[in-house]
Amino acid sequence: MPIDITDVKETVRPVDAAGLMDLLAARPRLLALGEPTHGEDSLLRVRNELFRQLVVQEGYRTIAIESDCLAGLLVDAYVTWGTGRLDEVMERGFSHGFGASPANRELVRWMRAFNEGRPASERVRFAGFDGPLEMAGAASPRQALTALHAHLARRVDAGLLPCSADTLDRLLGADDRWTEPAAMTDPARSTGRSAEARELRLLADDLVALLAEQLPHPVTESGEDSQRAELFGRSAVGLLRYHHSMADTSPSRMTRLVGLRGRMMADNLLALAARGPVLVHAHNAHLQREKSSMRMGGVRLEWWSAGALVSARLGAEYAFVATALGTIRHRGVDAPPPDSVEGLLYALRDELRLVDAGRLASALGDAPPAPRVSPWFGYAPLDAAHLGVIDGVVFIKDLPEVPDPAIPASPRTSPARA
């Protein structure tokens, strides 16, 4: 039976902070805004404007994006305290090439300007929540392990430490052992199951346990310093697990890798949630509540994303708003079929709209629209079957035909990138 377009029209509203809050029963601790493709600054500018409104109108003070959590400390230091230079922060504070995006640069500059002259408690904060991973592999655990060890060495008796800094350095060896690009496709090139790596996993576990034992530290201890140490601990353990799985030769290797990345993301988001309300921005696949999937080398991989893991922990305190697009003509994505979800939304006049996903699902009834198939691998169409577990959909009718000179388009999927 044809779908009455008037039912669809009744689900839409302007894309702004007030509209987002109207969709939700209460203000969530983690408000996740997804994107269906990377490399389009138009999408990031929508994110930027929403974040500005959420800060001013709703008291949000943190934005977390799909970027290296350790590199993101450089960005946070710049926007919070003015540490460093903008050019250097954009170059070194983002992973996956995201620092080249003009829209990300605009975000960082706005955050720094907003914080100027404000008390520390009122300043906005930046965080990367991805693991220290890149498309071709994973970082060395050196930065995370040595920073965690140094933090503890300043606070506890040397006899409580499971090893010396020299021992860590010897076991870590040269960083290029860990960052070998060929290890992503050839397990034999990974150092993740060497004798040194096995010993480092035990030491990392001991260091994280010792950090937890020091939680009731004297009042002179900086709470923020402890949060950084916990981040170093999560990253060290996560990286060593990831390298261990890179050396796996079983058929489940790639599924294990994408799952580990999702776990690292989720752990970072749960830690950020303790700060107060956070706007999270990443690919839809990392934020959705349903299982995520992708194809690699002809094999379908399925895993629970960070959003699914966090939603299971936080319940109604986690909200997910997906983004869908009508056309990306400069990528070969033309108008969607009229019988798809995006086709129904494309028939509406407005270029930018926020859709109540639950009401849209009800309007569609028991016969869901036809699935849309994108001719370009970089765009993931909205799955109509997921509407019932999405809080809202931002729909952009037409992205600019001339792409922004920002970052490369979405690379072909890999465990370290989606």
Side-chain angles (χ1 to χ4, degrees):
M1 184 174 75
I3 297 170
D4 187 347
I5 194 66
T6 59
D7 290 339
V8 178
K9 287 180 179 178
E10 290 177 358
T11 72
V12 302
R13 64 196 72 197
V15 178
D16 54 28
L20 278 174
M21 292 300 114
D22 283 346
L23 285 179
L24 309 172
R27 185 178 70 169
R29 289 164 65 187
L30 291 178
L31 173 55
L33 174 66
E35 63 176 1
T37 184
H38 291 314
E40 298 293 338
D41 264 27
S42 299
L43 299 177
L44 303 188
R45 291 191 172 102
V46 171
R47 173 207 66 188
N48 290 355
E49 179 57 28
L50 282 173
F51 181 58
R52 286 191 286 263
Q53 293 178 22
L54 289 167
V55 168
V56 174
Q57 300 172 23
E58 300 293 335
Y60 277 67
R61 285 294 180 268
T62 301
I63 186 168
I65 75 166
E66 184 189 336
S67 185
D68 183 336
C69 57
L70 299 185
L73 295 173
L74 295 174
V75 186
D76 186 54
Y78 177 79
V79 301
T80 308
W81 310 108
T83 305
R85 296 182 300 106
L86 179 59
D87 287 346
E88 180 183 8
V89 165
M90 298 308 300
E91 180 181 354
R92 298 178 52 222
F94 292 82
S95 58
H96 317 318
F98 291 166
S101 160
N104 279 334
R105 189 182 188 91
E106 292 163 13
L107 172 68
V108 172
R109 292 182 67 178
W110 179 83
M111 294 177 72
R112 178 67 203 125
F114 180 90
N115 285 338
E116 192 68 40
R118 292 181 184 270
S121 61
E122 296 180 9
R123 294 176 184 174
V124 291
R125 306 296 297 269
F126 177 93
F129 74 92
D130 203 351
L133 309 171
E134 278 288 358
M135 184 177 177
S140 164
R142 177 181 299 279
Q143 178 187 0
L145 275 173
T146 57
L148 175 60
H149 186 279
H151 172 91
L152 288 166
R154 292 191 296 268
R155 288 159 177 79
V156 303
D157 293 337
L160 292 176
L161 294 168
C163 67
S164 67
D166 288 343
T167 297
L168 278 184
D169 185 63
R170 174 180 60 80
L171 292 171
L172 286 163
D175 284 346
D176 58 10
R177 294 173 56 203
W178 301 93
T179 57
E180 167 60 65
M184 179 53 72
T185 54
D186 182 0
R189 300 294 293 274
S190 171
T191 192
R193 298 196 177 186
S194 63
E196 295 86 353
R198 288 195 294 271
E199 187 170 353
L200 285 168
R201 292 189 74 185
L202 293 173
L203 291 173
D205 183 70
D206 286 343
L207 288 168
V208 169
L210 180 58
L211 180 65
E213 293 162 15
Q214 299 302 310
L215 184 62
H217 210 271
V219 293
T220 54
E221 171 72 345
S222 164
E224 185 162 314
D225 205 26
S226 294
Q227 291 170 8
R228 286 169 62 96
E230 290 170 352
L231 172 61
F232 292 134
R234 290 193 303 273
S235 299
V237 171
L239 279 171
L240 287 165
R241 283 179 183 149
Y242 197 90
H243 282 290
H244 180 82
S245 291
M246 286 181 72
D248 184 14
T249 58
S250 75
S252 61
R253 175 179 185 263
M254 302 308 283
T255 300
R256 179 65 174 159
L257 289 174
V258 292
L260 283 172
R261 184 188 178 201
R263 165 74 183 277
M264 293 173 74
M265 287 179 157
D267 287 347
N268 286 333
L269 287 177
L270 289 168
L272 288 169
R275 286 185 180 178
V278 180
L279 177 66
V280 183
H281 188 257
H283 198 282
N284 288 332
H286 295 309
L287 302 177
Q288 65 189 37
R289 291 184 174 95
E290 296 284 4
K291 263 194 171 181
S292 297
S293 64
M294 66 180 178
R295 299 195 71 84
M296 287 193 64
V299 177
R300 180 181 172 86
L301 305 179
E302 292 186 351
W303 75 101
W304 292 111
S305 72
L309 296 172
V310 169
S311 180
R313 291 284 190 90
L314 297 184
E317 292 187 295
Y318 177 78
F320 169 47
V321 177
T323 297
L325 306 174
T327 71
I328 325 173
R329 290 194 169 89
H330 54 275
R331 304 294 189 195
V333 181
D334 292 322
D339 58 348
S340 65
V341 172
E342 285 137 318
L344 292 169
L345 297 175
Y346 193 76
L348 302 176
R349 181 181 61 185
D350 303 276
E351 284 293 325
L352 179 63
R353 277 307 210 186
L354 177 62
V355 183
D356 184 326
R359 290 187 62 191
L360 177 57
S362 296
L364 297 177
D366 297 330
R372 183 185 189 184
V373 178
S374 173
W376 175 53
F377 68 87
Y379 174 66
L382 186 66
D383 189 339
H386 291 180
L387 286 174
V389 289
I390 296 175
D391 296 290
V393 176
V394 171
F395 183 74
I396 302 174
K397 190 170 185 178
D398 298 290
L399 282 189
E401 293 194 24
V402 178
D404 292 302
I407 59 176
S410 301
R412 295 189 184 274
T413 50
S414 78
R417 195 74 213 106

